[in-house]
Amino acid sequence: MRRIHETRRLPYSPAQMFDLVADVARYPEFLPWVVATRIRSDDGTEMVADMLIGFKALREKFTSRVHKERPDRLWVHYVDGPLRDLDNRWTFTPDGEGGCEIEFCVEFAFKNRMFEMLAGQYIDRAFRKMVEAFEQRAAALYGSSSSSAHSVA
C-alpha cells in the first residue's frame, strides 16, 4: 500500500480543525474534485458517508466509515468504491499556543496495478492539494493567520 503523511501547524484549536474535517457534508464547497456527499448515518462518534469524486468525465463513489474522537482524532475506513483499500487518519494536537499540529496520514491501494502505476505520479499531489484545501477553508472560517507547514512522505 502507498502512504502519504502530512503534518501542519495551524493557529486554530484542535476542536475547530476537528469540526472542519468532520463536516463531510460541506466538502463539495471547498475540496477539489468532491462533487457530492451523502451522510448515511451519524451518531456523533461514528459516521457512514458516501463521497462522489469527479475529474473531467470520470466519476467514482466511495463509501467510508468515520470514527470520531472529538477533538483529538478521526479515523476513516474504506467500505466500498473503486480502490482495493483506502484508510486515513487525522490527529489534532494542541501546540500550547492556542493552535494545533495536524497530522494527516492516508494509505491506499488500487484494485488495478496498471492504474496504480499510472495514477501514482499524480495521487501524491492530489492528496496534498486536498490537505491545503482544508487549511484554506480553516482560514476562511476562522480567520487568516500565518502558519507553518511541512510534509513528511
Side-chain angles (χ1 to χ4, degrees):
M1 281 196 358
R2 295 193 60 173
R3 183 175 191 262
I4 296 170
H5 182 233
E6 286 277 321
T7 303
R8 306 242 175 180
R9 182 164 305 223
L10 297 175
Y12 315 110
S13 73
Q16 286 175 311
M17 292 309 300
F18 178 96
D19 291 344
L20 189 154
V21 174
D23 193 3
V24 173
R26 296 192 101 83
Y27 282 9
E29 294 176 19
F30 68 95
L31 276 179
W33 312 296
V34 176
V35 176
T37 57
R38 180 177 67 134
I39 309 303
R40 292 184 180 192
S41 64
D42 188 354
D43 68 7
T45 60
E46 182 178 277
M47 171 187 354
V48 176
D50 296 328
M51 187 178 322
L52 182 64
I53 303 293
F55 181 74
K56 298 188 179 183
L58 297 173
R59 295 279 190 268
E60 292 289 350
K61 184 181 89 168
F62 295 79
T63 302
S64 297
R65 182 176 315 279
V66 181
H67 299 279
K68 301 184 283 185
E69 249 181 55
R70 187 175 194 277
D72 303 314
R73 65 188 54 86
L74 292 134
W75 294 278
V76 182
H77 303 285
Y78 185 70
V79 174
D80 189 37
L83 300 173
R84 185 167 32 109
D85 197 16
L86 174 68
D87 292 308
N88 63 65
R89 178 188 78 240
W90 292 86
T91 58
F92 311 97
T93 307
D95 67 3
E97 299 174 12
C100 70
E101 182 174 279
I102 298 167
E103 185 178 1
F104 171 73
C105 182
V106 62
E107 295 179 331
F108 58 95
F110 290 90
K111 289 178 182 175
N112 180 312
R113 189 86 168 121
M114 179 64 82
F115 185 72
E116 183 168 1
M117 291 187 330
L118 290 171
Q121 59 188 322
Y122 303 105
I123 203 82
D124 289 1
R125 280 185 279 168
F127 277 114
R128 285 185 173 87
K129 184 171 181 150
M130 292 181 87
V131 171
E132 289 170 6
F134 280 102
E135 186 175 356
Q136 292 168 357
R137 177 70 167 186
L141 291 176
Y142 308 130
S144 183
S145 184
S146 62
S147 67
S148 61
H150 65 280
S151 301
V152 181

